[in-house]
Amino acid sequence: MYDQILFPTDGSEPAESILEYALQIASEHEATIHVLNVVDTSHASLSGTQDDVDDALEQEGTEIVNEAARRATERGVTAVSEVLHGDPSEAIVEYGTQSGIELIVMPTHGRRGLQRFLLGSVTERVINTADAPVIAVNPGTQPLAYPCQELLVPTDGSRGSELAVSEGVALANATGATLHLLHVVETGSLGPDARSLSKEEELTTRADEIIADAIEAAEAATVDRIASEIEFGVPSREIRNYIDTHEIDFAILGTHGTTDFSRYMMGGVSAKIVRTSPVPVMWVRDPDSTGE
């Protein structure tokens, strides 16, 4: 399913903890893992000449990727290592495009080079601009195990979530995981009539249609085990509740869309899910959308 996997790393403890998970994914899919370190020279120390700083950072980066590649080789995973200079998010996305990367696995925070940005701009920019799906993993997530057993795909019927459902269907078939389909009707901004009978019926009808379409796609692909649910409330909260209640160990979300749910995806929902999710989250971007 995935032949080329990219793992950006700064050699920090958070990144090291996610490397093992990335290697599990690569091993399961018999993929090549590309280990990338980005020397962010614009944020380098001002001591010494710039060339000296760049050389020191590149040497450190080389040691980091070589060590990660060694660990991959020990596990029987083919590894490619690379050190680049430039803006971290741009370098990650460009490398992914040029190298035919099919999946990016990255921690939500780290230290030098990528560290100041991973929690916010780098991870979210990569999610918003990469051609390949991006798995963002909170380093505090324990235990991490792949392949997943209980796979959640929240859907809102948008193009982005349709792509997430397709990815979830393929992954469920590849791993044998149970596919959970969830639609959250976001009621917080619908006004005082949100719970009126007519509005309730309208939202419920639309929710039923969205879930039915997702189930149909999963059944057409002969997914063995499918579960579905509709919830009303705050999307990030309902997603987290579902993860906890159903012992979800992996989630897939689309990054852009047009409905009440999806307009929060790279705002409140994504900020909360990316930074606090107790499970790895794969983000799938609509290639026709523009990153923010």
Side-chain angles (χ1 to χ4, degrees):
M1 183 174 178
Y2 305 112
D3 293 325
Q4 306 294 327
I5 297 174
L6 174 58
F7 178 70
T9 179
D10 58 7
S12 63
E13 183 176 345
E16 288 296 294
S17 69
I18 306 307
L19 172 59
E20 178 60 29
Y21 184 67
L23 292 178
Q24 291 179 27
I25 299 174
S27 178
E28 175 69 19
H29 296 286
E30 299 181 350
T32 296
I33 190 164
H34 297 245
V35 185
L36 174 66
N37 177 269
V38 180
V39 177
D40 182 8
T41 54
S42 64
H43 292 87
S45 169
L46 297 179
S47 61
T49 67
Q50 190 62 53
D51 287 343
D52 289 340
V53 172
D54 291 354
D55 289 345
L57 291 174
E58 181 165 356
Q59 180 178 351
E60 182 182 18
T62 299
E63 293 172 354
I64 289 169
V65 298
N66 285 346
E67 173 59 20
R70 182 192 64 78
R71 288 178 55 184
T73 301
E74 287 181 348
R75 289 186 58 113
V77 175
T78 301
V80 175
S81 58
E82 185 71 64
V83 177
L84 298 177
H85 292 242
D87 176 82
S89 61
E90 292 178 0
I92 292 168
V93 172
E94 183 177 357
Y95 182 90
T97 300
Q98 293 179 349
S99 302
I101 296 300
E102 296 161 308
L103 180 66
I104 301 173
V105 183
M106 56 196 304
T108 54
H109 63 273
R111 61 173 179 85
R112 249 189 352 262
L114 297 179
Q115 76 289 4
R116 284 186 298 269
F117 304 95
L118 273 176
L119 182 57
S121 61
V122 165
T123 295
E124 293 188 2
R125 286 176 185 171
V126 171
I127 288 170
N128 264 339
T129 57
D131 293 331
V134 179
I135 298 178
V137 189
N138 186 328
T141 303
Q142 294 296 333
L144 286 171
Y146 190 92
C148 56
Q149 301 298 315
E150 304 293 333
L151 167 60
L152 171 64
V153 182
T155 177
D156 65 354
S158 67
R159 175 58 179 162
S161 69
E162 287 175 355
L163 293 173
V165 169
S166 295
E167 196 75 22
V169 165
L171 189 57
N173 277 333
T175 62
T178 298
L179 177 62
H180 296 254
L181 300 169
L182 172 67
H183 176 72
V184 180
V185 179
E186 204 284 322
T187 58
S189 62
L190 296 178
D193 66 336
R195 287 295 180 178
S196 68
L197 181 59
S198 60
K199 192 66 174 181
E200 185 87 14
E201 291 177 348
E202 176 186 341
L203 293 172
T204 301
T205 298
R206 176 57 180 153
D208 288 339
E209 292 173 351
I210 290 171
I211 285 294
D213 288 344
I215 292 173
E216 182 180 358
E219 290 179 340
T222 65
V223 174
D224 288 337
R225 295 186 300 277
I226 305 169
S228 63
E229 193 163 323
I230 296 171
E231 297 288 353
F232 287 77
V234 178
S236 60
R237 182 182 304 160
E238 296 305 325
I239 292 171
R240 283 293 307 271
N241 286 343
Y242 193 95
I243 288 173
D244 294 338
T245 301
H246 297 271
E247 299 183 345
I248 300 299
D249 55 2
F250 194 90
I252 303 179
L253 287 84
T255 60
H256 289 276
T258 58
T259 69
D260 290 320
F261 177 76
S262 60
R263 64 192 171 86
Y264 288 89
M265 293 301 284
M266 290 313 294
V269 170
S270 69
K272 293 173 182 176
I273 296 298
V274 168
R275 299 172 187 179
T276 66
S277 174
V279 300
V281 179
M282 177 189 291
W283 296 88
V284 182
R285 184 178 71 89
D286 179 355
D288 294 329
S289 66
T290 55
E292 297 176 345

